[in-house]
Amino acid sequence: MSAILVIGSANMDLVAFADRLPGPGETLLGGAFQSFPGGKGGNQAVAAARAARQPGTVAFLGRVGADSFGTRLREGLAQNGVDTRWLGTVDGASGVAVIMSGGGNNMIVVAPGANDALDAAAIDPKAFDGARFVLAQLETPLDGVIAVARLARAQGAVFILDPAPARALPPELLALVDWLTPNESEACLLLGVTSLGDPVAAARRLKALGPRGVVLKLGGQGAVLLADDTPVLIGAHKVAVADTTAAGDAFNGAFAVALSEGCAPPQAVAFAMRAAAISVTRQGAQPAMAPRTEIDGFSG
């Protein structure tokens, strides 16, 4: 049994690097190409496993295809100490993310592949036995995410939802969320606005949608934590940015770990901010996740 259960996508990230991102219709000569294990679910599982003080803390529930990418994704998770007993294999292709990275920014197109099989029927209740914290995202079918939220509530686990990629969410799901962790664009979509405005006011409006707590991620400006009626602004660290691909995933995995170890929410956010800051100084998704010793020693 694992204290932290992550449910979500596992993708192979195919990344082309350039000095900048291309414009619409533009063909841009880039530089290096690399492939990395990724997917928001897999990323958060690896981030949590590396951030945890004790091994064997994190399990992952997902789906990969019966292809070489699926084999590599499974092996990568296991090598990082993630329990993969709930990672199933289905016929067809694994999920793939095609990523263009340039100038410290990125553009991503995801072909879900096997991740589309992670619907409500694929969510095994036995995976929740012993789980105290459950993480999910939105790269898999929404009915599966709702099933996860219901099972987390029934288990008495803390449910952390990263509402990415951005999409409208039903009130039923939001009411089951303990921590909602959107970035600015995701928050705008949830609130039905084109500009976030005052982040504290935005956090209050997000909390009014149903979640018990909100962490509004503001990139280089830090994050707004709203657990009760008193907002807390936690500043970001200034680092040299190489690749922002999985910063949010690094944050969520580390946030869950800190909460699971008894940290108060402001300290958990500060811990997660350090993990995210380290991740953006490196290229790739799962390879960029920081180990615990590095997070604890970070002072950037």
Side-chain angles (χ1 to χ4, degrees):
M1 295 186 293
S2 300
I4 298 172
L5 174 65
V6 182
I7 296 98
S9 58
N11 296 323
M12 187 58 66
D13 291 349
L14 309 177
V15 190
F17 296 93
D19 292 335
R20 62 176 177 82
L21 296 176
E26 179 184 9
T27 297
L28 180 67
L29 186 62
F33 168 81
Q34 292 179 277
S35 60
F36 304 100
K40 297 193 71 64
N43 293 345
Q44 291 183 17
V46 170
R50 290 190 181 180
R53 182 175 286 118
Q54 299 294 331
T57 300
V58 181
F60 179 65
L61 193 162
R63 293 292 182 269
V64 293
D67 55 13
S68 60
F69 284 166
T71 299
R72 185 175 168 191
L73 289 167
R74 182 183 298 276
E75 290 175 348
L77 288 163
Q79 289 167 1
N80 279 286
V82 177
D83 182 347
T84 60
R85 78 182 75 179
W86 309 109
L87 178 57
T89 300
V90 299
D91 291 337
S94 296
V96 171
V98 180
I99 302 171
M100 293 179 290
S101 180
N105 296 303
N106 60 71
M107 298 171 64
I108 305 173
V109 175
V110 176
N115 295 303
D116 274 343
L118 197 64
D119 56 11
I123 306 301
D124 191 336
K126 294 190 292 295
F128 291 75
D129 292 345
R132 296 190 297 113
F133 292 82
V134 176
L135 284 74
Q137 322 79 35
L138 301 176
E139 286 186 336
T140 54
L142 188 59
D143 69 327
V145 177
I146 294 171
V148 167
R150 290 171 177 164
L151 286 165
R153 176 59 56 87
Q155 172 71 22
V158 173
F159 179 52
I160 302 171
L161 179 64
D162 185 5
R167 61 178 296 176
L169 295 175
E172 176 195 3
L173 175 57
L174 289 165
L176 292 169
V177 174
D178 293 294
W179 289 105
L180 185 71
T181 64
N183 64 20
E184 294 176 72
S185 62
E186 293 149 7
C188 284
L189 190 145
L190 289 170
L191 295 173
V193 298
T194 57
S195 178
L196 191 62
D198 175 29
V200 171
R204 293 189 186 281
R205 291 179 62 196
L206 288 164
K207 193 168 184 291
L209 295 177
R212 287 157 183 74
V214 171
V215 181
L216 176 54
K217 297 178 284 192
L218 302 171
Q221 302 305 309
V224 174
L225 166 70
L226 188 61
D228 44 37
D229 290 331
T230 305
V232 180
L233 178 62
I234 294 96
H237 301 275
K238 303 301 181 184
V239 296
V241 176
D243 183 3
T244 61
T245 300
D249 299 329
F251 182 99
N252 273 49
F255 180 60
V257 167
L259 290 176
S260 75
E261 294 178 357
C263 289
Q267 286 68 50
V269 172
F271 180 81
M273 293 294 289
R274 296 198 297 274
I278 294 168
S279 75
V280 302
T281 66
R282 301 166 179 166
Q283 293 179 341
Q286 292 174 24
M289 302 305 177
R292 178 58 175 261
T293 53
E294 198 171 357
I295 299 172
D296 285 343
F298 181 76
S299 59

